[in-house]
Amino acid sequence: MRTRFAGGIALLTVIAAGCGGLAASPTDPADGPLPSDPTMMDFADPSRVDGLTTRTLASHLTSTNGRRVHITYPSIPSTPALTDRLRDEVTRQLREFTDSTSTESTGGHAPEFNVEWRLAAVSPDVIGVRLRSGTLAGRPWTNATRTLWYHQPSRRALDSTGLLKDSAALAVLAGKVRQRLAPRAPAVNMTSITPVPSMFDSIAFNRDGDLVVEFDDGQVAHPSLGRVAVAVPREEADPLLSAVGRRARQAAVEAPRQMITPPPVQAFDDRPPKARSVTAGSVDCAEAKCVALTFDDGPGPHTDRLLSILAEHGARATFFTLGSNAAAQPGTLRRMRDGGHLVANHSWSHRDLGALSGSLLSDQLARTQSAVDAALGQVPTLMRPPYGSAGTEVAKVAEQMGLSVVEWSVDTRDLADRDPEAIARRAVAGAEPGAVIRLHDVYRETVDALPAVLTGLRERGFVLVTVPELDGLHAMEPGRTYYAGRAATSTAPSPHASGRPQGASSP
Ligand code: ZN
């Protein structure tokens, strides 16, 4: 088992990839490395972990009842105990969120809960997963972090305090943290910092091996203060670490890093080519009856099977990928490209873009452009806003990044009931020339429905193409919103409607 895990991680090279102008986000060390700040951590490259894929929990859950929910967490085949632990953790957090928020919109937005993840460290015997949970219930967003660790030799998932020797070490650490935050009192509430595991639930290491403690927004200070974190220098933290803690520190120092943040703005000539289906133009949709299947939220654990099914049927599709998933499964993106499909942008972590602005909004799109570029050497030209929620600012940012906004004309509601027969029925019955059909490739039932979808559409004489190939869409403009090809008669606004705000709100 250990060998298998060790063999699954290639600790050979550092991938430094990405491009496009990204702005740093003030709220997450993942968004903009500031090497001078020792509380900023590097993250390990998940694509280096063999078999790693992502699991998704989203708004289709009946318990969410109108709230917007999107949760992703990693799943590694050789560490089932870690996957179970992560699932338990996000399920607990989701229950807390639904119990503590009403379904009423606040500030014009539905309550939203979003969990994304990064790898705090990876080595043959230790892996650290940092979950960042964002809650929007009124304004502003508040973030909480929790870092869980897995120790391969003992096959145990541990809380962050498992990195420490014992409760005495936790008490010493709490003292050191208080000491370092003391100059920020009274903005930071010193008496709130007590040596309890729930307070120290996100511990990791920076690239120098210093121990980093992160607090949730609002945990030790007013939420408006943002992220509060402390770095305890390596030599001081060392005596406090358990054996697992020392291995975790070593892993953090040595792991191949994930570089989603891009190099400085590039010369025009160095800009990557725009993503385009390798078989674009092979069908004339002014002659043929064309429809476009679109898959959101992936890639996920079932996407490779989906690609095989599409290949068997000679069908092509457009994938609105989540950047964080794309960065974890770049090989799946390459399969998409090689199969004649089109890779597009569905934001980084599936936050409601209509509820974001400034760098938080542009980051969501720019980081995904970078992740796709890192995988394919091409950047997407299409984006689909999570929850279908956009607005003038989203359209403006999309335009700046050369992205057209693509909604849909047929919703299979595959997330709502997860019933393969119903999904296939809606896709086939709803199809008309020029239709854009919306599905999700992160759930088994959708992929199970695919053979019937493809057979049914073929029996009705449809040819499956990527979105820009639909009649009338071959010259899509950045910043404009499209619902279907010109041939479609659906009730949705015409393809040349506009980039006006529009409040589609489906899961
Ligand atoms: Zn989505």
Side-chain angles (χ1 to χ4, degrees):
M1 200 63 175
R2 179 176 167 173
T3 351
R4 195 170 137 209
F5 186 62
I9 302 167
L11 296 167
L12 296 174
T13 52
V14 176
I15 288 191
C19 76
L22 304 200
S25 151
T27 56
D28 193 325
D31 300 339
L34 300 171
S36 58
D37 181 347
T39 70
M40 292 301 179
M41 296 175 293
D42 294 306
F43 294 97
D45 183 351
S47 72
R48 302 260 143 187
V49 180
D50 198 25
L52 184 147
T53 181
T54 51
R55 303 284 177 93
T56 305
L57 293 176
S59 293
H60 65 86
L61 298 165
T62 48
S63 61
T64 63
N65 196 19
R67 300 172 182 88
R68 289 182 168 170
V69 172
H70 197 94
I71 297 168
T72 56
Y73 59 96
S75 166
I76 303 168
S78 55
T79 64
L82 176 62
T83 306
D84 291 350
R85 186 61 194 281
L86 290 164
R87 188 186 51 240
D88 291 349
E89 173 61 22
V90 296
T91 307
R92 184 190 64 76
Q93 290 188 15
L94 176 58
R95 203 179 312 121
E96 256 181 43
F97 166 74
T98 48
D99 289 349
S100 67
T101 51
S102 82
T103 54
E104 301 289 306
S105 291
T106 46
H109 295 286
E112 185 176 351
F113 185 62
N114 182 280
V115 180
E116 62 177 304
W117 61 277
R118 304 297 293 266
L119 294 182
V122 171
S123 79
D125 34 52
V126 170
I127 187 159
V129 178
R130 175 181 179 268
L131 299 172
R132 184 174 71 149
S133 313
T135 304
L136 179 68
R139 285 179 174 256
W141 274 93
T142 53
N143 291 305
T145 51
R146 174 140 204 194
T147 306
L148 293 167
W149 291 86
Y150 183 79
H151 184 229
Q152 177 65 11
S154 63
R155 296 184 196 179
R156 280 191 309 142
L158 306 161
D159 286 317
S160 280
T161 49
L163 303 180
L164 304 174
K165 259 185 195 155
D166 48 27
S167 54
L170 177 58
V172 174
L173 178 62
K176 290 181 181 299
V177 166
R178 271 197 300 269
Q179 195 189 347
R180 280 176 174 75
L181 287 176
R184 295 175 72 184
V188 173
N189 175 5
M190 303 309 293
T191 56
S192 67
I193 303 166
T194 54
V196 292
S198 59
M199 175 79 38
F200 289 83
D201 64 0
S202 193
I203 302 179
F205 301 90
N206 66 19
R207 65 163 69 192
D208 295 324
D210 305 326
L211 182 148
V212 178
V213 176
E214 291 181 286
F215 296 106
D216 303 341
D217 291 355
Q219 197 176 18
V220 299
H222 189 271
S224 62
L225 211 63
R227 179 175 182 261
V228 176
V230 170
V232 178
R234 183 178 181 145
E235 27 337 320
E236 275 185 56
D238 229 21
L240 308 177
L241 298 181
S242 64
V244 179
R246 285 194 298 277
R247 285 169 184 237
R249 185 194 59 202
Q250 191 180 352
V253 171
E254 293 173 0
R257 320 223 179 272
Q258 183 180 29
M259 305 293 283
I260 292 302
T261 41
V265 179
Q266 297 176 338
F268 183 79
D269 290 348
D270 294 337
R271 282 190 192 171
K274 292 179 171 178
R276 184 170 184 273
S277 166
V278 295
T279 51
S282 58
V283 177
D284 179 1
C285 293
E287 300 290 326
K289 281 168 64 181
C290 295
V291 292
L293 292 183
T294 62
F295 294 93
D296 295 359
D297 296 1
H302 311 290
T303 307
D304 281 293
R305 180 163 66 97
L306 168 63
L307 289 170
S308 299
I309 295 170
L310 290 170
E312 279 163 29
H313 287 76
R316 296 185 292 122
T318 303
F319 288 87
F320 290 93
T321 62
L322 220 53
S324 59
N325 291 354
Q329 291 185 248
T332 306
L333 263 68
R334 289 190 280 273
R335 269 196 83 192
M336 290 172 182
R337 178 199 57 196
D338 297 346
H341 310 293
L342 187 62
V343 177
N345 187 330
H346 193 45
S347 84
W348 176 261
S349 66
H350 212 280
R351 289 199 180 190
D352 175 351
L353 301 184
L356 296 177
S357 59
S359 68
L360 291 175
L361 167 54
S362 50
D363 265 14
Q364 281 283 330
L365 294 175
R367 289 170 70 195
T368 300
Q369 296 293 90
S370 285
V372 174
D373 180 29
L376 303 181
Q378 299 172 337
V379 289
T381 59
L382 310 180
M383 67 81 68
R384 172 170 288 164
Y387 310 104
S389 165
T392 42
E393 197 169 348
V394 172
K396 198 177 79 193
V397 173
E399 183 176 10
Q400 285 162 359
M401 292 185 198
L403 292 163
S404 301
V405 181
V406 178
E407 302 279 5
W408 57 88
S409 62
V410 177
D411 191 354
T412 60
R413 304 207 305 276
D414 57 331
L415 294 193
D417 48 25
R418 311 268 298 263
D419 172 357
E421 274 179 38
I423 295 165
R425 199 168 50 241
R426 290 185 195 122
V428 174
E432 60 170 340
V436 174
I437 302 174
R438 183 210 199 197
L439 296 137
H440 296 78
D441 58 322
V442 286
Y443 294 109
R444 183 187 307 280
E445 293 82 356
T446 301
V447 181
D448 289 345
L450 242 282
V453 171
L454 296 171
T455 306
L457 290 174
R458 191 179 54 222
E459 281 169 1
R460 291 193 54 203
F462 286 109
V463 180
L464 297 170
V465 298
T466 64
V467 170
E469 294 172 80
L470 290 175
D471 184 31
L473 296 191
H474 53 274
M476 297 175 76
E477 290 173 33
R480 283 220 164 161
T481 302
Y482 298 84
Y483 297 83
R486 189 184 290 144
T489 60
S490 79
T491 53
S494 82
H496 297 291
S498 72
R500 275 185 290 108
Q502 58 82 37
S505 67
S506 34

